[in-house]
Amino acid sequence: MSDLDLDPTQLDRYSRHIIMDDVGPGGQQDLLDADVLVLGAGGLGAPIIQYLAAAGVGTLGIADDDEVELSNLQRQVIHGTDDVGRKKVASAAEFVAQLNPDIAVEKHDLRVRPDNIEALIDGYDFVVDGTDNFQTRYLVNDACTLAGVPFSHGSIFKFEGQITTFAGTEDSPCYRCMFPQAPPEGMVPNCATAGVLGVLPGTVGCIQATETVKAIIGTGDLLDGEMVFYDALNMEFDTVEITKKDDCPVCGEAPAIDSIHDVEYTASCAIDATHESDPEISVE
């Protein structure tokens, strides 16, 4: 347990955590001592950032290179009309400062790429993936899995959401165990072309934030080895098992990928994860 160092204002701010047996002052201190990286300050990133900041996660890294657009405001609730045209990392940092001055925000005004992700995740206890394309999801998976950094994955489409957590233990599966190959380019539309229910990322992002908090304070069961499918239209939740694959190219018994630099992450989606001896596995 961390040394307790909560001042009177913090004891008041976090009182509803502190009185919980499964959190308590020690758990709150663990949250204040935690360093969490949120990838994306958009639909998923907005509720993740909002609730992690409110919960008292002491250091929040926020990585995004986009600017706020008017069409974002239907779902990206940490940004407002006056933020249109501003960098999302700047708008998000200002939101956090107004919500909870305890939180240190590390702004990463960048697009996550193979040449920066290793340095980006270094030093963070947990990564929350709120990105919106297969290329980056595979990159995040590979970098975090190889580095042993636990991370939460979330995705949204129209009325549907998916959430899981990859705990990074010896027995944990990874994203490639679940989806060894992405769908062909153009098969899955993005939110700009297919649309998304405005409140959907709020639900999915809140579940990701919940998983993050549980991982930090070490309580409850994580979605490690399970994926939750959320159907907002019919208000249904289903959970399916994710099995660790012996032949997974990243976390399997004889992995083909030893480094993200063995992989060519290009602009589209098709993943060739079938190579057993050739380390050049491409995202085409």
Side-chain angles (χ1 to χ4, degrees):
M1 180 183 295
S2 304
D3 294 332
L4 301 183
D5 188 26
L6 302 181
D7 63 34
T9 300
Q10 290 172 324
L11 289 171
D12 188 12
R13 178 184 289 271
Y14 307 117
S15 60
R16 299 306 189 272
H17 273 172
I18 292 168
I19 61 176
M20 295 177 66
D21 292 339
D22 292 327
V23 183
Q28 186 59 56
Q29 187 66 59
D30 288 339
L31 288 169
L32 288 164
D33 291 341
D35 299 88
V36 173
L37 175 64
V38 182
L39 302 177
L44 290 174
I48 293 165
I49 291 165
Q50 181 177 26
Y51 275 97
L52 293 184
V57 172
T59 299
L60 279 180
I62 303 173
D64 199 308
D65 73 335
D66 285 341
E67 295 179 353
V68 179
E69 299 178 1
L70 187 62
S71 62
N72 298 153
L73 304 185
Q74 164 250 21
R75 62 201 178 282
Q76 299 181 19
V77 294
I78 61 174
H79 310 297
T81 302
D82 291 342
D83 295 315
V84 172
R86 296 181 67 197
K87 283 290 189 175
K88 287 184 180 180
V89 289
S91 174
E94 184 176 290
F95 178 91
V96 171
Q98 293 175 345
L99 177 64
N100 189 348
D102 286 345
I103 311 306
V105 175
E106 297 177 346
K107 295 181 288 184
H108 304 283
D109 181 10
L110 52 79
R111 183 171 296 274
V112 179
R113 300 183 187 279
D115 61 358
N116 62 29
I117 190 169
E118 291 173 311
L120 184 61
I121 67 175
D122 185 43
Y124 285 101
D125 304 309
F126 197 92
V127 172
V128 194
D129 183 6
T131 61
D132 63 357
N133 64 86
F134 285 105
Q135 176 191 3
T136 309
R137 290 169 188 161
Y138 281 91
L139 175 59
V140 171
N141 172 79
D142 296 350
C144 287
T145 301
L146 292 170
V149 178
F151 69 103
S152 167
H153 162 75
S155 62
I156 53 175
F157 177 70
K158 292 188 175 180
F159 288 91
E160 300 173 356
Q162 301 176 356
I163 315 99
T164 188
T165 299
F166 300 106
T169 68
E170 183 177 347
D171 298 325
S172 298
C174 76
Y175 189 76
R176 287 189 188 266
C177 293
M178 180 174 57
F179 299 126
Q181 182 166 310
E185 184 177 5
M187 179 173 287
V188 180
N190 59 30
C191 291
T193 57
V196 62
L197 185 69
V199 297
L200 175 67
T203 303
V204 174
C206 282
I207 296 174
Q208 289 185 268
T210 302
E211 288 284 279
T212 306
V213 169
K214 291 192 304 178
I216 292 168
I217 66 177
T219 192
D221 295 324
L222 298 176
L223 290 171
D224 187 29
E226 294 181 312
M227 171 170 278
V228 168
F229 289 86
Y230 171 48
D231 177 354
L233 190 61
N234 298 298
M235 197 49 66
E236 294 178 348
F237 288 87
D238 293 308
T239 303
V240 299
E241 182 180 357
I242 305 171
T243 303
K244 183 179 177 71
K245 303 295 187 183
D246 292 340
D247 60 351
C248 174
V250 178
C251 69
E253 294 181 352
I257 299 174
D258 297 317
S259 164
I260 62 169
H261 304 292
D262 294 338
V263 184
E264 184 183 359
Y265 299 94
T266 53
S268 59
C269 298
I271 306 288
D272 181 2
T274 61
H275 296 69
E276 295 181 356
S277 58
D278 181 1
E280 293 296 328
I281 295 177
S282 63
V283 183
E284 298 178 341

